[in-house]
Amino acid sequence: VSEDLAGKLVSPATHAPAPLDAKSEPNYYVFYRGAGWCGPCIQFSPSLVKFYKEMKPKHAAAFEVIFFSADRSPEDLKAYAGKIGFSWAAVPQSRQMEMQVVNRLFSNLIPQLVVTDRNGTVVIDSAKTGGSDKALQQFAALLKK
């Protein structure tokens, strides 16, 4: 997974490269696909931001959130990230087709939350669990184990 992400991650605020720390690969990747023009995404995103702010300090090395933008431009991505209040790394829509492993995880559904282990094995997929909120609850339970 880390190899597939290499060179494709950007800061949503600046669109500058935002590589993950190569020395500390997380146990889980939380891939969130959404967009600022999507009503259900706008409803769900604050829950993910709250979860991240509460759980990341307690489980710093356990997971990393990566946003897969379905926004139409870097400016739209920046506006959405600013409005919702997230700063985790993003893969802009223009780079997603280059991805061999991660891109196959998503359906056409947004919002979609997919949790994988570091090898890319899907652990939780909101498309199969009844929605992003339920998937987030399942991931919280997994982290508490």
Side-chain angles (χ1 to χ4, degrees), residues 2 10 30 46 50 58 62 64 81-82 91 107-108 121 134 136 141-142:
S2 62
V10 299
V30 179
K50 181 181 178 191
K58 298 173 189 174
E64 196 57 62
V91 179
S107 66
N108 291 329
T121 302
K134 287 184 180 179
L136 194 56
L142 179 65

Side-chain angles (χ1 to χ4, degrees), residues 64-80:
E64 196 57 62
V65 175
I66 309 293
F67 181 65
F68 268 66
S69 178
D71 289 300
R72 295 177 178 98
S73 71
E75 294 77 22
D76 290 345
L77 168 57
K78 180 179 180 178
Y80 183 51

Side-chain angles (χ1 to χ4, degrees), residues 5-138:
L5 293 169
K8 298 171 188 81
L9 298 174
V10 299
S11 161
T14 65
H15 214 65
L20 296 176
D21 184 357
K23 295 177 185 172
S24 61
E25 186 172 14
N27 295 330
Y28 300 102
Y29 289 97
V30 179
F31 296 108
Y32 172 49
R33 186 167 179 264
W37 51 263
C38 167
C41 299
I42 292 169
Q43 290 177 334
F44 169 71
S45 293
S47 299
L48 182 57
V49 170
K50 181 181 178 191
F51 171 88
Y52 185 85
K53 288 179 179 177
E54 290 175 3
M55 300 300 273
K56 188 65 174 172
K58 298 173 189 174
H59 305 279
F63 73 97
E64 196 57 62
V65 175
I66 309 293
F67 181 65
F68 268 66
S69 178
D71 289 300
R72 295 177 178 98
S73 71
E75 294 77 22
D76 290 345
L77 168 57
K78 180 179 180 178
Y80 183 51
K83 177 181 177 182
I84 300 301
F86 68 84
S87 60
W88 49 72
V91 179
Q93 190 174 36
S94 63
R95 301 294 308 265
Q96 292 172 21
M97 293 308 293
E98 301 169 28
M99 305 187 81
Q100 301 300 312
V101 176
V102 179
N103 196 36
R104 294 185 302 212
L105 302 174
F106 297 109
S107 66
N108 291 329
L109 175 73
I110 62 171
Q112 187 176 4
L113 192 75
V114 177
V115 179
T116 71
D117 64 15
R118 65 176 52 161
N119 298 314
T121 302
V122 175
V123 179
I124 300 167
D125 181 350
S126 66
K128 298 175 182 170
T129 62
S132 297
D133 287 313
K134 287 184 180 179
L136 194 56
Q137 291 170 357
Q138 289 178 353

